[in-house]
Amino acid sequence: MVSTDLESVDAFRARARAWLRDHLPPAPPPDAKDDYSEQAWLRARQTQRLLFDGGFAGICFPREYGGLGLTPAHQQAFTEESLPYEMPLLLNVPSLAICAAALLELGTEEQKRTHLPATLSGDTVLVQFLSEPRGGSDLAGLTTRADRDGERWILNGSKIWSSGAYAADYGLCLARTNWDVPKHRGLTMFLVPVHAPGVTVRRIKQVTGSTEFCQEFFDDVALGEDAVLGRVDDGWDAASKLLQHERAALGGTSPYTSGARPHLGGDATRLLNLARATGQWQDPRVREDVGEARAMNVVRDQLIAHVSRAIADGSLPPSAGAIARLFTAENAWLQTDMAVRIAGAAAATHGPGDAADTERIGTDYLFRAAWSLAGGSTEMARNVISERVLGMPREFAADRDVPFNEVRRGR
C-alpha cells in the first residue's frame, strides 16, 4: 500500500519544474550526434550528482538506499518535465534501469547499501556482462567460468556487446560455477569490478562508427564471496530478473528512467520537420507516413501505460514487459524506414548544403538492426510472451535436462 503522506504528484511536478528550470541547461537538439566520449560520461555523472543532491534521483528507489521512495506516477511527472533539459541519459540503460534495479531485487543488505546510493549519485556506473562471443541467443549455454578457490572465486572467460563497459565501475557477470548439472542450474551472478586485475576491456567499432559496445576478457580474476549476487548456482533466476528489467527498460515500462527515450521510436515531429526540409510536406504519401508515425506513437504510449499499470497491480506478470519491448522495437524500425523513404538519396549522401534534418538518417538506418537485438532479440520476446504471458507450451530444447559437461559444443 502506498503511504498517504507522500507528496502529491502535482506538487512534486511543480517543484521539479522549478528546480529543472533553475539548475539544468537546455537539452541538445534532437539530431545531435551520439557522444560516448569520456567527457560525455563524466558530464553524465556530474549531472546525475546534481539530480541526486537536488533530490530528484532514484525517484522510485527506496529511501534507505538513496532514492525518494515515490511512485511511478511521480517518476512519469518528472520525466515529462525533464524533456526540455539536458539529462544523464547515458546512465539510464543499463546502469539505473537494469543493473541497479536488479541489484535492488537480488542484493544483500550490505550490497544494496554499498552500491545503490553510489549508483544513484553517479559515483558508480554499472553494466551487464551477459552475452558471449559464441553464445548467440543461448545465454544459459555460456562458458565463462568461476571456480572456487578457498574463500575466493577465480573468473575466466569473455563477454561481449557490453554497452559502455569502458566507462563503468562494476559489471553484473553471469558465469558457470557447476558443470555437472543442466545448463540453467549451474550459473552464478557476480558483481565484478571492471578495473580489477585480470579484466581487459576492448571497444568494438560498429558500422555507424560508434565504439559504445565492448568485449571483456577475464584472466584469473579473483573475486570474494561478497561478489556473489543472489545464490550460488541459482544465477539463472538472477539473470531472469535482470532480463525482465532489461525488457522493461527497452520497452518503456521501467519506472527507473528519467528523460527522453529515443529508443522507443522517437518523436514523429522529426519526420514532419524532415518532410518540410525536403519540400515534400504536400506529398500525400509523405503526409500518410507522418500520420501513421504519430498514430503509432499514440498506441505506443497507451500500450506502455497499460502494461505498466497491469504489472503494478498484478493483473499481468513482470514478463509482460516483453509486449511493450516488442512493439517499441517494431515502432523504431517503422520510423527509421519512414525517415529513409522521405529523405531519399540524401539519407546516404548527406553533404554540405543539404537539409540538416537528413544528417543522421543514414547512420540511424545502419543501426536499425540493433532494435531487434537490444533487450533480447524480438524472437526471444515473442517466446517470452507466448510461454510466460499466454501460458503456451515451451519450445523443445534437446539439452534441457542434460548435464552441461555432456552437452556437445562448438560443432
Side-chain angles (χ1 to χ4, degrees), residues 94 97-103 105-106 127-130 139 172-174 189 229 235-249 375:
I98 303 176
C99 298
L103 184 58
E105 195 168 355
L106 298 166
V127 294
Q128 301 176 93
F129 292 156
L130 297 181
L139 178 60
L172 276 64
C173 180
L174 192 62
M189 187 74 75
L229 189 59
W236 187 250
D237 179 66
S240 296
K241 289 180 170 62
L242 193 70
L243 293 173
Q244 283 181 1
H245 289 296
E246 185 178 43
R247 286 190 290 269

Side-chain angles (χ1 to χ4, degrees), residues 26-78:
D31 286 328
K33 292 183 178 179
D34 294 329
D35 185 2
Y36 300 106
S37 66
E38 292 183 7
Q39 183 60 36
W41 282 97
L42 177 60
R43 177 65 180 171
R45 287 178 184 255
Q46 292 171 338
T47 306
Q48 185 66 27
R49 183 77 211 194
L50 193 62
L51 291 172
F52 185 79
D53 290 343
F56 292 101
I59 291 170
C60 289
F61 283 87
R63 287 183 177 274
E64 59 265 35
Y65 306 126
L68 302 185
L70 298 176
T71 70
H74 290 82
Q75 176 61 74
Q76 179 63 26
F78 182 80

Side-chain angles (χ1 to χ4, degrees), residues 87-368:
M87 290 288 290
L89 302 183
L90 286 175
L91 303 184
N92 272 340
V93 178
S95 188
L96 294 170
I98 303 176
C99 298
L103 184 58
L104 175 64
E105 195 168 355
L106 298 166
T108 64
E109 190 65 18
E110 182 179 356
Q111 287 172 330
K112 289 187 283 192
R113 291 190 180 278
T114 297
H115 296 287
L116 287 178
T119 303
L120 297 181
S121 67
D123 291 341
T124 292
V125 173
L126 306 173
V127 294
Q128 301 176 93
F129 292 156
L130 297 181
S131 299
E132 296 192 357
R134 295 192 304 170
S137 61
D138 183 18
L139 178 60
L142 60 85
T143 56
T144 292
R145 63 189 301 149
D147 299 300
R148 192 183 286 277
D149 178 26
E151 296 183 355
R152 304 185 306 168
W153 293 90
I154 304 300
L155 181 68
N156 284 281
S158 180
K159 298 290 183 177
I160 201 167
W161 311 128
S162 308
S163 298
Y166 62 94
D169 301 289
Y170 288 89
L172 276 64
C173 180
L174 192 62
R176 189 164 302 282
T177 48
N178 189 340
W179 298 70
D180 299 323
V181 295
K183 61 184 182 181
H184 291 85
R185 302 179 201 162
L187 304 171
T188 302
M189 187 74 75
F190 293 90
L191 196 58
V192 178
V194 174
H195 304 291
V199 179
T200 302
V201 178
R202 293 181 183 170
R203 298 174 71 168
I204 301 169
K205 189 171 185 178
Q206 301 168 66
V207 68
T208 61
S210 170
T211 56
E212 179 199 8
F213 287 155
C214 301
Q215 181 173 2
E216 299 78 38
F217 301 89
F218 309 110
D219 297 295
D220 293 331
V221 180
L223 302 170
E225 291 286 356
D226 59 349
V228 175
L229 189 59
R231 296 185 298 273
V232 173
D233 290 346
D234 197 23
W236 187 250
D237 179 66
S240 296
K241 289 180 170 62
L242 193 70
L243 293 173
Q244 283 181 1
H245 289 296
E246 185 178 43
R247 286 190 290 269
L250 272 296
T253 59
S254 172
Y256 301 115
T257 64
S258 290
R261 300 173 295 178
H263 59 279
L264 301 184
D267 181 354
T269 301
R270 181 187 180 195
L271 295 179
L272 174 59
N273 293 338
L274 177 63
R276 287 171 171 159
T278 56
Q280 299 180 79
W281 172 233
Q282 297 302 323
D283 186 317
R285 178 188 62 79
V286 172
R287 294 171 73 93
E288 286 180 1
D289 280 350
V290 174
E292 181 180 355
R294 286 192 161 183
M296 286 290 284
N297 281 352
V298 171
V299 173
R300 173 201 65 194
D301 293 342
Q302 292 294 322
L303 178 65
I304 289 171
H306 172 74
V307 172
S308 298
R309 285 194 301 268
I311 292 174
D313 66 24
S315 56
L316 281 176
S319 50
I323 300 171
R325 180 265 177 275
L326 177 60
F327 184 90
T328 54
E330 294 187 343
N331 188 39
W333 304 336
L334 173 77
Q335 308 237 3
T336 302
D337 293 350
M338 284 180 173
V340 171
R341 192 156 65 236
I342 295 171
T349 62
H350 176 87
D354 290 341
D357 304 76
T358 66
E359 182 174 2
R360 283 190 53 182
I361 292 173
T363 52
D364 285 350
Y365 185 80
L366 291 175
F367 197 70
R368 175 188 187 277

